[in-house]
Amino acid sequence: MTTPLVRTIPLRPGLNLEVREAGRGGSPVLVLHGGPGPAGVAPLVEHLASDHRVVAPTHPGWDGTVRPDDLDSVPALAAAHLDLLGRLGLRDVTVIGTSFGGWVATRTALDDREGRISRLVLVDAIGPVIPGRRITVPAGPPAPASQGGPSAQAMAALRAYAGPTMADADLLPHLSTVTCPVLVLWGADDTVVTPDFGRAYAAAFPHARFELVPGAGHQPIREKPETVFTRLDSFLTPRTSATGH
């Protein structure tokens, strides 16, 4: 088992990112977590570390980290992660995002003016407004962290970034400008954002592949990790990723 190195990287006055880093060689991967926080992507970080340099920041506001008042939107959060890539001098980066992290990953790819990002992977991601397809937030209290649910602090941070609608009406039309290869993985039984939502999301990119993960809901990395890892490893091989299809 790989134990990530955890360090705090100052990006600007008042904004520090807590970052987990693992792996030493291979192309870099930026892993962006969803509502449950860094623990939700820990198995993914561990898997990727054998062949990649993995960088997994904690979104400010999760796990006791401080969210500055002006860090209050997904574009602002994406800009912070792009600053992180610049600070670390990383290029040819694969960005992987789950759920809310997928929205941030998409925005990061859209706003990448320096060509640092070469691939994008979305896992049951939210973000765009898909006509006729809504995000269904589970009723009742959130699942405890032990079951993969977000904490109250994480939900507050999520609302600060995502807003009341948990979506960006302007996002979908701009996805046609993302020219890198995209892999969209989706739990076949996801009821938060259905596979049809995922298919429409993928179809908006010029070079995207959509793949279902059988037997998984909204958290395939937790529910069907080996299936996710197999699909991901195939996408990340140079022969496969070069086609973008």
Side-chain angles (χ1 to χ4, degrees):
M1 179 176 177
T2 302
T3 301
L5 168 69
V6 182
R7 62 174 171 145
T8 299
I9 299 178
L11 294 183
R12 58 175 168 81
L15 177 56
N16 299 318
L17 276 188
E18 183 179 279
V19 179
R20 286 164 174 78
E21 295 179 271
R24 296 181 179 177
S27 59
V29 179
L30 177 69
V31 177
L32 302 179
H33 66 77
V41 293
L44 180 61
V45 171
E46 181 180 348
H47 171 77
L48 290 168
S50 61
D51 295 309
H52 301 273
R53 177 182 177 184
V54 186
V55 177
T58 299
H59 305 315
W62 267 260
D63 286 15
T65 59
V66 175
R67 180 187 63 82
D69 289 342
D70 63 348
L71 200 64
D72 59 358
S73 68
V74 169
L77 182 56
H81 294 318
L82 284 168
D83 287 347
L84 174 65
L85 296 182
R87 180 66 58 91
L88 297 177
L90 298 180
R91 292 191 172 277
D92 190 25
V93 180
T94 297
V95 181
I96 302 175
T98 67
S99 192
F100 169 71
W103 180 1
V104 182
T106 297
R107 190 77 247 175
T108 303
L110 278 169
D111 294 345
D112 174 25
R113 302 290 178 250
E114 297 186 18
R116 295 185 183 277
I117 296 170
S118 59
R119 299 176 189 85
L120 177 63
V121 180
L122 306 179
V123 184
D124 294 72
I126 65 171
V129 172
I130 306 290
R133 306 291 173 187
R134 290 191 172 191
I135 299 172
T136 304
V137 179
S146 61
Q147 297 177 20
S151 66
Q153 184 210 17
M155 286 304 298
L158 182 60
R159 285 191 292 268
Y161 289 120
T165 63
M166 299 278 287
D168 179 354
D170 294 328
L171 190 64
L172 195 69
H174 289 93
L175 300 186
S176 61
T177 65
V178 177
T179 57
C180 68
V182 182
L183 174 64
V184 180
L185 294 176
W186 223 265
D189 303 325
D190 191 347
T191 58
V192 177
V193 273
T194 66
D196 283 344
F197 184 103
R199 288 186 181 94
Y201 207 156
F205 293 101
H207 305 293
R209 177 200 308 177
F210 177 83
E211 295 188 11
L212 284 175
V213 181
H218 190 59
Q219 299 186 57
I221 292 171
R222 181 184 181 92
E223 299 158 337
K224 293 290 181 180
E226 293 308 320
T227 303
V228 172
F229 298 160
T230 298
R231 306 279 175 85
L232 186 57
D233 291 346
S234 175
F235 178 72
L236 292 179
T237 58
R239 178 183 60 81
T240 303
S241 62
T243 66
H245 299 287

